[in-house]
Amino acid sequence: MTTEGPLTARAPMADPGRARAAARAIAAAALGRDPGPMATAASGSHHVYGGPDVVVKIIDAASHTRLNREIALAPHLPAGLTAPLLDSGTHRLETGDVRFACYARVPGTAPSMGMPGVDGATARALAEQAVERLGRLHAWVPQGEADRTLRETLDHGGFTGRAAFLAEIEGLAERDRHGTVPTHLLDGLRAIARDAPPHARTAVPVHADCHWDNWLAHAGNVTALLDFEWARFGDPVDDWFFLIRFSGPHMETLLDVVARATGTPPDTLRAGCEVREATHLAADLRVVLERPEVHARMAADRLRSLEELVVGRYWWRDAR
Protein backbone atom coordinates (compact mmCIF):
# COMPACT_ATOMS: atom_id res chain seq x y z
CA MET A 1 0.00 0.00 0.00
CA THR A 2 1.16 3.52 -0.74
CA THR A 3 -0.39 6.81 0.25
CA GLU A 4 -0.41 10.34 -1.08
CA GLY A 5 -2.58 11.67 1.70
CA PRO A 6 -5.54 10.17 3.53
CA LEU A 7 -7.82 10.95 0.57
CA THR A 8 -6.11 11.08 -2.77
CA ALA A 9 -7.96 13.49 -5.06
CA ARG A 10 -5.51 15.54 -7.07
CA ALA A 11 -6.03 19.20 -7.98
CA PRO A 12 -4.68 21.03 -11.05
CA MET A 13 -1.17 22.38 -10.67
CA ALA A 14 0.41 25.68 -11.54
CA ASP A 15 2.64 25.82 -14.66
CA PRO A 16 5.98 24.27 -13.58
CA GLY A 17 8.18 26.95 -15.18
CA ARG A 18 6.29 29.83 -13.66
CA ALA A 19 6.05 27.99 -10.33
CA ARG A 20 9.84 27.67 -10.18
CA ALA A 21 10.32 31.38 -10.87
CA ALA A 22 7.69 32.23 -8.26
CA ALA A 23 9.41 29.99 -5.68
CA ARG A 24 12.71 31.81 -6.17
CA ALA A 25 11.02 35.20 -5.80
CA ILE A 26 9.16 34.07 -2.66
CA ALA A 27 12.33 32.63 -1.11
CA ALA A 28 14.35 35.76 -1.91
CA ALA A 29 11.72 37.96 -0.27
CA ALA A 30 11.59 35.77 2.84
CA LEU A 31 15.38 35.56 3.23
CA GLY A 32 16.21 39.10 2.06
CA ARG A 33 18.81 37.69 -0.34
CA ASP A 34 19.26 35.28 -3.23
CA PRO A 35 18.17 31.82 -2.05
CA GLY A 36 20.83 29.96 -4.04
CA PRO A 37 20.07 26.90 -6.16
CA MET A 38 16.60 25.44 -5.58
CA ALA A 39 15.85 21.84 -6.50
CA THR A 40 12.43 20.32 -7.18
CA ALA A 41 11.16 17.98 -4.46
CA ALA A 42 8.63 15.21 -5.03
CA SER A 43 5.04 16.02 -4.14
CA GLY A 44 1.71 14.66 -5.32
CA SER A 45 -0.29 17.81 -4.62
CA HIS A 46 2.06 20.83 -4.75
CA HIS A 47 5.11 22.22 -6.45
CA VAL A 48 7.87 22.06 -3.82
CA TYR A 49 11.31 23.65 -4.20
CA GLY A 50 14.17 23.43 -1.72
CA GLY A 51 17.30 25.53 -1.38
CA PRO A 52 20.13 25.42 1.16
CA ASP A 53 18.15 27.43 3.71
CA VAL A 54 14.54 27.43 2.54
CA VAL A 55 11.68 25.29 1.21
CA VAL A 56 8.74 26.73 -0.75
CA LYS A 57 5.41 24.97 -1.38
CA ILE A 58 3.17 26.34 -4.14
CA ILE A 59 -0.28 25.48 -5.47
CA ASP A 60 -2.79 27.26 -7.71
CA ALA A 61 -4.88 29.55 -5.52
CA ALA A 62 -8.07 28.06 -6.97
CA SER A 63 -7.06 24.48 -6.06
CA HIS A 64 -7.66 22.71 -2.76
CA THR A 65 -7.19 24.79 0.41
CA ARG A 66 -5.34 22.29 2.61
CA LEU A 67 -2.19 24.43 2.53
CA ASN A 68 -4.19 27.14 4.31
CA ARG A 69 -4.78 24.65 7.11
CA GLU A 70 -1.07 23.99 7.45
CA ILE A 71 -0.25 27.71 7.40
CA ALA A 72 -2.85 28.48 10.08
CA LEU A 73 -1.48 25.78 12.39
CA ALA A 74 2.26 26.32 11.87
CA PRO A 75 2.80 29.23 14.32
CA HIS A 76 0.94 27.41 17.11
CA LEU A 77 2.36 23.89 16.97
CA PRO A 78 4.56 22.64 19.83
CA ALA A 79 8.07 24.08 19.57
CA GLY A 80 10.54 22.06 17.52
CA LEU A 81 7.92 19.76 16.03
CA THR A 82 8.03 21.04 12.44
CA ALA A 83 9.96 23.41 10.18
CA PRO A 84 9.59 27.12 11.08
CA LEU A 85 7.24 29.06 8.79
CA LEU A 86 9.01 32.12 7.34
CA ASP A 87 6.26 33.54 5.12
CA SER A 88 2.95 32.63 3.49
CA GLY A 89 0.25 34.15 1.32
CA THR A 90 -0.49 34.52 -2.38
CA HIS A 91 1.85 35.42 -5.23
CA ARG A 92 0.66 36.92 -8.50
CA LEU A 93 1.51 35.24 -11.78
CA GLU A 94 0.45 36.27 -15.26
CA THR A 95 -1.86 33.28 -15.41
CA GLY A 96 -3.34 33.75 -11.93
CA ASP A 97 -2.48 33.64 -8.25
CA VAL A 98 -0.63 30.88 -6.46
CA ARG A 99 -0.85 30.14 -2.76
CA PHE A 100 2.46 29.54 -1.00
CA ALA A 101 4.15 28.62 2.26
CA CYS A 102 7.85 29.30 2.78
CA TYR A 103 9.71 27.35 5.47
CA ALA A 104 13.18 27.37 6.94
CA ARG A 105 15.13 24.34 5.74
CA VAL A 106 15.53 21.73 8.49
CA PRO A 107 18.52 19.34 8.29
CA GLY A 108 17.78 15.83 7.15
CA THR A 109 16.08 13.70 4.54
CA ALA A 110 12.93 11.58 4.68
CA PRO A 111 13.41 7.91 5.70
CA SER A 112 10.81 7.40 2.93
CA MET A 113 7.78 5.16 2.58
CA GLY A 114 8.71 1.63 3.59
CA MET A 115 12.00 2.83 5.15
CA PRO A 116 14.18 1.40 2.34
CA GLY A 117 17.78 0.76 3.32
CA VAL A 118 17.10 1.42 7.02
CA ASP A 119 18.47 -1.26 9.35
CA GLY A 120 16.52 -2.62 12.29
CA ALA A 121 18.35 -0.70 15.02
CA THR A 122 17.97 2.60 13.18
CA ALA A 123 14.28 1.91 12.48
CA ARG A 124 13.67 1.34 16.20
CA ALA A 125 15.57 4.50 17.17
CA LEU A 126 13.70 6.63 14.62
CA ALA A 127 10.39 5.11 15.72
CA GLU A 128 11.06 5.89 19.37
CA GLN A 129 11.81 9.51 18.51
CA ALA A 130 8.80 9.80 16.20
CA VAL A 131 6.51 8.42 18.89
CA GLU A 132 7.91 10.96 21.37
CA ARG A 133 7.23 13.82 18.95
CA LEU A 134 3.74 12.60 18.20
CA GLY A 135 3.16 12.32 21.93
CA ARG A 136 3.95 16.04 22.19
CA LEU A 137 1.45 16.76 19.43
CA HIS A 138 -1.23 14.64 21.11
CA ALA A 139 -0.62 16.38 24.45
CA TRP A 140 -0.90 19.85 22.89
CA VAL A 141 -4.00 21.85 23.87
CA PRO A 142 -4.66 24.23 20.97
CA GLN A 143 -6.32 27.56 21.56
CA GLY A 144 -7.98 30.21 19.42
CA GLU A 145 -7.27 29.98 15.69
CA ALA A 146 -5.49 26.63 15.99
CA ASP A 147 -8.44 25.08 17.81
CA ARG A 148 -10.89 26.43 15.22
CA THR A 149 -8.74 25.16 12.35
CA LEU A 150 -8.50 21.64 13.75
CA ARG A 151 -12.29 21.56 14.20
CA GLU A 152 -13.07 22.53 10.60
CA THR A 153 -14.88 19.85 8.61
CA LEU A 154 -12.42 17.83 6.56
CA ASP A 155 -13.19 14.85 4.30
CA HIS A 156 -10.11 12.98 5.51
CA GLY A 157 -11.24 9.49 4.55
CA GLY A 158 -10.43 8.19 8.01
CA PHE A 159 -12.43 6.26 10.58
CA THR A 160 -15.25 8.20 12.26
CA GLY A 161 -17.41 5.35 13.54
CA ARG A 162 -18.91 1.97 12.70
CA ALA A 163 -22.11 3.24 11.07
CA ALA A 164 -20.26 5.69 8.82
CA PHE A 165 -17.73 3.01 7.85
CA LEU A 166 -20.50 0.53 6.93
CA ALA A 167 -22.25 3.25 4.93
CA GLU A 168 -19.00 3.96 3.06
CA ILE A 169 -18.70 0.28 2.15
CA GLU A 170 -22.30 0.04 0.93
CA GLY A 171 -21.85 3.24 -1.06
CA LEU A 172 -18.73 1.72 -2.60
CA ALA A 173 -20.66 -1.43 -3.54
CA GLU A 174 -23.46 0.61 -5.13
CA ARG A 175 -21.02 2.66 -7.24
CA ASP A 176 -19.10 -0.43 -8.36
CA ARG A 177 -21.22 -1.28 -11.40
CA HIS A 178 -18.35 -3.03 -13.19
CA GLY A 179 -17.14 -5.25 -10.35
CA THR A 180 -13.89 -3.36 -9.79
CA VAL A 181 -13.82 -4.44 -6.13
CA PRO A 182 -14.26 -8.24 -5.83
CA THR A 183 -17.12 -9.42 -3.64
CA HIS A 184 -14.85 -11.25 -1.20
CA LEU A 185 -12.95 -8.01 -0.53
CA LEU A 186 -16.15 -6.07 0.09
CA ASP A 187 -17.23 -8.83 2.48
CA GLY A 188 -13.84 -8.56 4.21
CA LEU A 189 -14.35 -4.82 4.67
CA ARG A 190 -17.80 -5.46 6.12
CA ALA A 191 -16.37 -7.97 8.61
CA ILE A 192 -13.77 -5.44 9.80
CA ALA A 193 -16.43 -2.73 10.05
CA ARG A 194 -18.77 -4.91 12.13
CA ASP A 195 -16.03 -5.29 14.77
CA ALA A 196 -15.11 -1.58 14.72
CA PRO A 197 -15.92 0.71 17.66
CA PRO A 198 -19.29 2.50 17.45
CA HIS A 199 -17.59 5.91 17.51
CA ALA A 200 -14.12 7.33 16.93
CA ARG A 201 -12.56 9.54 19.56
CA THR A 202 -11.79 13.12 18.53
CA ALA A 203 -9.98 14.09 21.71
CA VAL A 204 -6.47 15.17 20.66
CA PRO A 205 -4.71 16.89 17.74
CA VAL A 206 -3.43 14.35 15.21
CA HIS A 207 -1.27 14.79 12.14
CA ALA A 208 -3.25 12.11 10.25
CA ASP A 209 -0.66 11.60 7.49
CA CYS A 210 2.58 10.86 9.36
CA HIS A 211 4.01 8.15 7.11
CA TRP A 212 7.79 8.14 6.66
CA ASP A 213 7.80 10.45 3.63
CA ASN A 214 6.65 13.22 5.98
CA TRP A 215 9.49 12.92 8.51
CA LEU A 216 13.03 14.24 8.30
CA ALA A 217 15.98 12.55 9.96
CA HIS A 218 19.68 13.39 10.13
CA ALA A 219 22.51 11.24 11.51
CA GLY A 220 20.03 8.82 13.05
CA ASN A 221 17.91 11.53 14.69
CA VAL A 222 14.43 12.73 13.78
CA THR A 223 14.56 16.46 13.01
CA ALA A 224 11.02 17.38 11.89
CA LEU A 225 7.51 16.25 11.04
CA LEU A 226 6.22 17.97 7.88
CA ASP A 227 2.96 18.55 6.00
CA PHE A 228 0.18 19.32 8.48
CA GLU A 229 -2.46 19.70 5.74
CA TRP A 230 -4.60 16.86 7.13
CA ALA A 231 -4.23 17.71 10.83
CA ARG A 232 -7.44 17.55 12.86
CA PHE A 233 -8.83 16.35 16.15
CA GLY A 234 -8.81 12.56 16.36
CA ASP A 235 -7.55 9.49 18.17
CA PRO A 236 -3.79 8.85 18.62
CA VAL A 237 -4.18 5.55 16.72
CA ASP A 238 -4.96 7.67 13.63
CA ASP A 239 -1.25 8.56 13.74
CA TRP A 240 0.12 5.25 15.01
CA PHE A 241 -1.44 3.58 11.95
CA PHE A 242 0.56 5.67 9.46
CA LEU A 243 3.77 5.29 11.44
CA ILE A 244 3.50 1.51 11.64
CA ARG A 245 1.92 0.63 8.29
CA PHE A 246 4.46 2.41 6.12
CA SER A 247 7.59 1.09 7.83
CA GLY A 248 8.08 -1.76 5.35
CA PRO A 249 9.94 -4.73 6.86
CA HIS A 250 10.04 -3.00 10.25
CA MET A 251 6.29 -3.19 10.86
CA GLU A 252 6.55 -5.47 13.91
CA THR A 253 9.35 -3.34 15.37
CA LEU A 254 7.27 -0.19 14.96
CA LEU A 255 4.22 -1.85 16.48
CA ASP A 256 6.32 -2.96 19.47
CA VAL A 257 7.72 0.57 19.94
CA VAL A 258 4.28 2.17 19.85
CA ALA A 259 2.73 -0.45 22.14
CA ARG A 260 5.48 -0.06 24.73
CA ALA A 261 5.57 3.74 24.60
CA THR A 262 1.82 4.19 24.84
CA GLY A 263 0.93 1.26 27.09
CA THR A 264 -1.41 -0.11 24.41
CA PRO A 265 -1.88 -3.90 24.25
CA PRO A 266 -0.48 -5.07 20.88
CA ASP A 267 -3.71 -6.75 19.80
CA THR A 268 -5.68 -3.58 20.58
CA LEU A 269 -3.21 -1.62 18.48
CA ARG A 270 -3.44 -4.13 15.61
CA ALA A 271 -7.24 -3.95 15.62
CA GLY A 272 -7.26 -0.15 15.66
CA CYS A 273 -4.77 0.06 12.81
CA GLU A 274 -6.68 -2.52 10.77
CA VAL A 275 -9.84 -0.44 11.03
CA ARG A 276 -7.96 2.71 9.97
CA GLU A 277 -6.41 1.03 6.95
CA ALA A 278 -9.71 -0.49 5.88
CA THR A 279 -11.47 2.87 6.14
CA HIS A 280 -8.81 4.71 4.15
CA LEU A 281 -8.85 2.04 1.44
CA ALA A 282 -12.65 2.20 1.16
CA ALA A 283 -12.52 5.99 0.86
CA ASP A 284 -9.76 5.89 -1.76
CA LEU A 285 -11.64 3.28 -3.79
CA ARG A 286 -14.69 5.54 -3.71
CA VAL A 287 -12.55 8.27 -5.28
CA VAL A 288 -11.35 5.77 -7.89
CA LEU A 289 -14.90 4.81 -8.87
CA GLU A 290 -15.98 8.43 -9.07
CA ARG A 291 -13.19 9.26 -11.55
CA PRO A 292 -11.78 5.99 -12.90
CA GLU A 293 -10.11 7.65 -15.89
CA VAL A 294 -7.98 9.79 -13.55
CA HIS A 295 -7.18 7.23 -10.85
CA ALA A 296 -6.44 4.00 -12.75
CA ARG A 297 -3.01 3.54 -11.15
CA MET A 298 -4.38 4.22 -7.69
CA ALA A 299 -7.12 1.62 -8.28
CA ALA A 300 -4.58 -1.16 -8.85
CA ASP A 301 -2.52 -0.14 -5.83
CA ARG A 302 -5.49 0.08 -3.46
CA LEU A 303 -6.90 -3.26 -4.64
CA ARG A 304 -3.54 -4.93 -3.96
CA SER A 305 -3.50 -3.39 -0.51
CA LEU A 306 -7.08 -4.47 0.16
CA GLU A 307 -6.20 -8.04 -0.85
CA GLU A 308 -3.24 -7.95 1.52
CA LEU A 309 -5.41 -6.56 4.30
CA VAL A 310 -8.36 -8.95 3.94
CA VAL A 311 -6.90 -12.17 2.52
CA GLY A 312 -3.33 -11.80 3.76
CA ARG A 313 -4.51 -10.64 7.23
CA TYR A 314 -1.76 -8.05 7.20
CA TRP A 315 -2.18 -6.84 10.77
CA TRP A 316 -2.44 -10.34 12.24
CA ARG A 317 -0.09 -12.49 10.18
CA ASP A 318 2.81 -12.15 12.67
CA ALA A 319 0.73 -11.78 15.83
CA ARG A 320 1.79 -14.02 18.69
Side-chain angles (χ1 to χ4, degrees), residues 50-318:
D53 304 304
V54 68
V55 174
V56 179
K57 295 175 69 171
I58 291 176
I59 191 169
D60 291 335
S63 297
H64 69 70
T65 60
R66 295 196 306 268
L67 187 57
N68 287 349
R69 192 181 199 86
E70 180 172 290
I71 290 166
L73 292 172
H76 307 289
L77 292 168
L81 184 63
T82 193
L85 180 67
L86 300 178
D87 195 11
S88 64
T90 57
H91 183 86
R92 184 68 181 171
L93 297 179
E94 292 178 7
T95 53
D97 290 344
V98 293
R99 187 182 306 114
F100 74 87
C102 181
Y103 296 94
R105 183 73 176 259
V106 176
T109 58
S112 298
M113 198 82 74
M115 305 184 88
V118 176
D119 63 64
T122 301
R124 180 173 288 276
L126 293 177
E128 289 170 347
Q129 295 172 58
V131 168
E132 187 276 329
R133 285 187 179 239
L134 286 170
R136 280 192 268 154
L137 175 63
H138 300 161
W140 173 46
V141 181
Q143 304 290 329
E145 182 184 14
D147 180 80
R148 291 190 294 273
T149 298
L150 290 168
R151 293 185 189 282
E152 290 173 358
T153 301
L154 182 65
D155 184 9
H156 53 75
F159 178 70
T160 58
R162 184 192 301 149
F165 184 15
L166 284 167
E168 178 79 88
I169 297 165
E170 297 316 314
L172 180 63
E174 289 172 9
R175 287 184 180 89
D176 192 12
R177 297 184 179 89
H178 302 291
T180 300
V181 185
T183 300
H184 72 282
L185 297 183
L186 286 170
D187 288 342
L189 283 174
R190 293 184 181 103
I192 292 170
R194 284 193 292 269
D195 289 336
H199 304 287
R201 291 197 303 157
T202 55
V204 302
V206 296
H207 182 277
D209 196 25
C210 54
H211 55 76
W212 290 98
D213 277 348
N214 281 337
W215 293 89
L216 294 180
H218 178 69
N221 294 308
V222 167
T223 55
L225 174 58
L226 307 177
D227 294 344
F228 279 78
E229 297 175 23
W230 294 97
R232 56 183 173 82
F233 280 108
D235 188 306
V237 75
D238 296 330
D239 283 340
W240 305 143
F241 157 68
F242 281 99
L243 205 64
I244 298 166
R245 180 60 178 89
F246 301 104
S247 59
H250 307 295
M251 180 270 201
E252 288 296 321
T253 296
L254 269 288
L255 192 140
D256 178 66
V257 168
V258 173
R260 290 174 183 271
T262 63
T264 307
D267 283 359
T268 300
L269 188 56
R270 290 180 195 276
C273 289
E274 181 180 55
V275 167
R276 267 69 186 177
E277 180 168 10
T279 311
H280 282 301
L281 288 173
D284 276 0
L285 286 166
R286 164 170 52 85
V287 172
V288 165
L289 294 178
E290 288 169 351
R291 300 188 66 190
E293 73 285 356
V294 176
H295 299 298
R297 189 175 69 174
M298 186 168 80
D301 174 79
R302 298 313 191 262
L303 287 171
R304 283 194 299 270
S305 296
L306 187 54
E307 182 84 19
E308 187 177 26
L309 178 73
V310 170
V311 178
R313 299 280 290 161
Y314 177 81
W315 290 96
W316 302 98
R317 62 190 182 188
D318 295 317

